[in-house]
């Protein structure tokens, strides 16, 4: 009384007169394989529907994966960031990027993750600030970085306004 997924293969055996006489075939139970495939779809669907941007880079900083929120946050079409160096999203100078990379590398080495705010730029050159969590992970025996981030540009602007206002009030 149970149900499952099956894959069938068969062929028709024809007589001397060319008429179909027999159908031969085999039925494979592929329920376990189908369950495994369905289980793999769930994490992909979760990533694809997150409101936070998610990216995966290899050890040399080449972008291997971005979810739609990441693409939208940075103003790129779906898949356009793939194969690009991570620096394409950076708005800082080379020396700032090097200091940030050293900080991230040290944190990943000691704690396995880095958390902080990063100055970035969109495809159109406009600036944004993201709160980012970068995690070290190993895939196929090679080091990778997983970054989950959200745009906090408005929060940074509000904090800066508040700081200026407080400073103005103290000076008055």
């Amino acid at each position: 009384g149970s149900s499952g997924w099956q894959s069938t293969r068969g062929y028709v055996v024809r007589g001397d007169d060319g008429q179909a006489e027999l159908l031969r075939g085999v039925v494979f139970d592929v329920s376990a394989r189908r369950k495994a495939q369905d289980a793999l779809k769930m994490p992909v669907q979760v990533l694809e529907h997150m409101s936070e941007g998610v990216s995966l880079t290899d050890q040399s900083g080449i972008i291997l994966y971005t979810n739609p929120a990441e693409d939208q946050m940075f103003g790129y079409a779906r898949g356009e960031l793939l194969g690009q160096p991570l620096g394409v999203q950076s708005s800082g100078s080379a020396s700032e990027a090097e200091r940030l990379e050293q900080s991230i590398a040290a944190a990943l080495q000691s704690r396995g993750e880095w958390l902080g705010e990063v100055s970035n730029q969109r495809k159109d050159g406009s600036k944004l600030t993201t709160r980012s969590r970068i995690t070290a992970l190993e895939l196929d025996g090679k080091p990778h970085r997983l970054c989950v981030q959200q745009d906090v540009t408005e929060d940074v602007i509000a904090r800066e306004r508040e700081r200026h206002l407080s400073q103005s009030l103290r000076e008055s």
Side-chain angles (χ1 to χ4, degrees):
S2 64
S3 63
W5 290 93
Q6 299 172 344
S7 175
T8 60
R9 293 196 179 135
Y11 62 95
V12 174
V13 177
R14 298 190 182 276
D16 294 337
D17 60 358
Q19 294 295 318
E21 291 184 352
L22 183 66
L23 177 62
R24 287 203 172 152
V26 63
V27 176
F28 300 96
D29 181 353
V30 294
S31 299
R33 182 175 70 194
R34 180 66 187 249
K35 268 186 166 176
Q37 289 171 337
D38 289 347
L40 290 174
K41 287 179 187 177
M42 188 182 342
V44 170
Q45 289 175 343
V46 169
L47 284 171
E48 295 294 303
H49 289 89
M50 287 178 66
S51 60
E52 296 83 8
V54 178
S55 63
L56 177 70
T57 58
D58 66 11
Q59 62 187 1
S60 61
I62 300 298
I63 300 170
L64 304 175
Y65 169 81
T66 57
N67 72 345
E70 178 88 359
D71 295 328
Q72 183 179 16
M73 186 184 312
F74 285 91
Y76 286 88
R78 189 75 178 120
E80 194 175 0
L81 281 166
L82 303 183
Q84 297 286 328
L86 190 56
V88 74
Q89 296 174 311
S90 177
S91 69
S93 67
S95 62
E96 289 172 330
E98 180 61 31
R99 280 194 302 276
L100 179 61
E101 172 55 31
Q102 289 173 356
S103 171
I104 292 169
L108 292 177
Q109 181 74 27
S110 65
R111 297 186 309 272
E113 75 172 6
W114 179 87
L115 180 62
E117 288 185 359
V118 181
S119 296
N120 293 297
Q121 72 178 5
R122 295 180 183 92
K123 182 180 180 182
D124 67 8
S126 62
K127 307 294 185 215
L128 75 151
T129 301
T130 60
R131 182 172 297 120
S132 304
R133 179 182 305 273
I134 300 173
T135 307
L137 76 145
E138 196 171 293
L139 297 171
D140 296 326
K142 296 178 184 166
H144 290 75
R145 290 181 180 178
L146 179 67
C147 181
V148 178
Q149 57 192 341
Q150 68 183 111
D151 184 347
V152 294
T153 306
E154 295 302 319
D155 295 344
V156 171
I157 291 169
R159 281 195 316 249
E160 191 62 24
R161 283 186 187 140
E162 189 176 302
R163 188 180 68 76
H164 282 301
L165 181 58
S166 294
Q167 185 177 19
S168 295
L169 291 173
R170 280 194 302 271
E171 291 173 358
S172 300

